[in-house]
Amino acid sequence: MRSAVIRFGGSNCDQDVAYVVGEVCGADVDLVWYKDGLRRSYDAIILPGGFSYGDYLRAGAIAARTPVMKDIIRAAANGALILGICNGAQIAAESGLVPGIFTTNAYPKFLCRPALLRVENTTSPFTRLYRQGEIVSIPIAHKEGRYIAPPGDISRLEADNRIAFRFCDENGDVNTNVNLNGSSGNITGILSEQENVLVMMPHPERAAEEILGSTDGKKIFDSMIAYTEES
Amino acid sequence: MKFDLIITIRLKEGMLNPEAEAIRHAIAHLGFPTEKLVTADQFTITIEAENKAAAEEIGISLCEKLLANPVIHTYEIEVR
């Protein structure tokens, strides 16, 4: 898999995700400064976590209007895999790659903790190595991670099986008590219509080695690599 | 001609606004309980335009392309 991790002013998880993709999972990875644009074609493009432009205006809003995002939207239309993690998810949502928006947590404080997620989709290039309904532990770290979208968009996401992850309890039950940030329907991972874009608030790169306490996030990168090698 | 666009962005009616709630609680702690508190972001943007109508068009474009997200926001534009 030939992949790029895009760095914006304020990205701070770029090295972590590049390390996991390159060193832990063994794929090719370039760190790309956003002003340099996409100079070659990539199988996968990752928008990492951080605080692009200080989250001024709205989280991800300013980065979403940079020229490199036009290249990324074009790459997505051509079938490249796009993974947006945390601030990257906010940037991708602000770019219209998925419906809806991530906004201030229902209890407006920064949350940094492990989160239990139920895997809802196992057909996408990102989630194919998980089992349906599998409960995974992947940490979150955000203040603006509450996912909201108009009811029509939520219904369409559900009907099209485009919800990747929901916050759940240890039994896999999805309820308001375990809805860490107040997202609609506990949703914290969404796929695009073609399933080649995944945006998620939890940080899979922080759950990719035993020493970190969980390897549940590594399956996302391994799924992407397996998909790329097959196609 | 130069015009000032006074653009106000608000959350749509009924949208959960945790920051406004926190401020409302703080005001109540000061002894002034209130049922409703609305926050807004306001931008004053000086631009060049042929006339007032053209200036307003620029304001609408800025709101729709950048300043507001239609999922959660409404906006008002005043041209001075």
Side-chain angles (χ1 to χ4, degrees), chain A residues 63-183:
Chain A
R65 275 82 183 171
T66 55
V68 73
M69 288 309 298
K70 288 198 181 106
D71 295 347
I72 292 168
I73 290 165
R74 202 175 305 119
N78 291 330
L81 303 183
I82 314 291
L83 172 63
I85 301 167
C86 199
N87 192 234
Q90 295 159 340
I91 294 168
E94 279 282 347
S95 301
L97 284 164
V98 294
I101 181 175
F102 294 94
T103 188
T104 312
N105 298 345
Y107 189 76
K109 71 171 185 178
F110 190 90
L111 295 169
C112 184
R113 50 165 294 180
L116 292 178
L117 317 176
R118 190 174 77 188
V119 180
E120 306 284 71
N121 170 302
T122 54
T123 59
S124 80
F126 307 91
T127 54
R128 48 184 24 216
L129 296 180
Y130 292 106
R131 295 186 317 277
Q132 185 71 36
E134 186 174 344
I135 304 163
V136 297
S137 175
I138 301 181
I140 56 168
H142 62 250
K143 188 190 162 196
E144 295 182 55
R146 177 167 58 100
Y147 179 71
I148 47 178
D153 285 341
I154 301 272
S155 311
R156 210 167 305 119
L157 289 171
E158 284 177 349
D160 296 346
N161 191 30
R162 285 166 53 196
I163 294 166
F165 303 107
R166 294 183 202 260
F167 293 120
C168 71
D169 67 14
E170 62 278 13
N171 299 314
D173 192 34
V174 169
N175 58 62
T176 51
N177 293 335
V178 289
N179 192 359
L180 301 177
N181 56 21
S183 292

Side-chain angles (χ1 to χ4, degrees), chain A residues 58 65 94 101 105-106 148, chain B residues 16 18 65-67 69 72:
Chain A
R58 297 176 302 280
R65 275 82 183 171
E94 279 282 347
I101 181 175
N105 298 345
I148 47 178
Chain B
L16 175 68
K65 287 182 180 162
L66 177 66
L67 299 177
N69 185 311
I72 56 172

Side-chain angles (χ1 to χ4, degrees), chain B:
Chain B
M1 288 172 70
K2 277 196 173 138
F3 294 94
D4 281 345
L5 299 171
I6 317 295
I7 296 178
T8 308
I9 311 280
R10 286 196 182 84
L11 284 172
K12 285 179 178 170
E13 188 74 27
M15 197 64 72
L16 175 68
N17 185 344
E19 285 162 344
E21 272 302 287
I23 296 164
R24 196 173 66 81
H25 282 295
I27 289 173
H29 284 310
L30 294 177
F32 303 101
T34 170
E35 277 183 23
K36 189 176 177 188
L37 186 148
V38 176
T39 60
D41 288 322
Q42 191 172 79
F43 305 84
T44 303
I45 305 170
T46 307
I47 48 145
E48 282 279 350
E50 280 189 13
N51 52 46
K52 211 170 171 179
E56 187 169 0
E57 282 301 314
I58 293 169
I60 291 169
S61 179
L62 290 178
C63 286
E64 301 204 338
K65 287 182 180 162
L66 177 66
L67 299 177
N69 185 311
V71 177
I72 56 172
H73 291 134
T74 59
Y75 60 84
E76 283 166 24
I77 302 166
E78 186 196 337
V79 184
R80 281 186 202 156

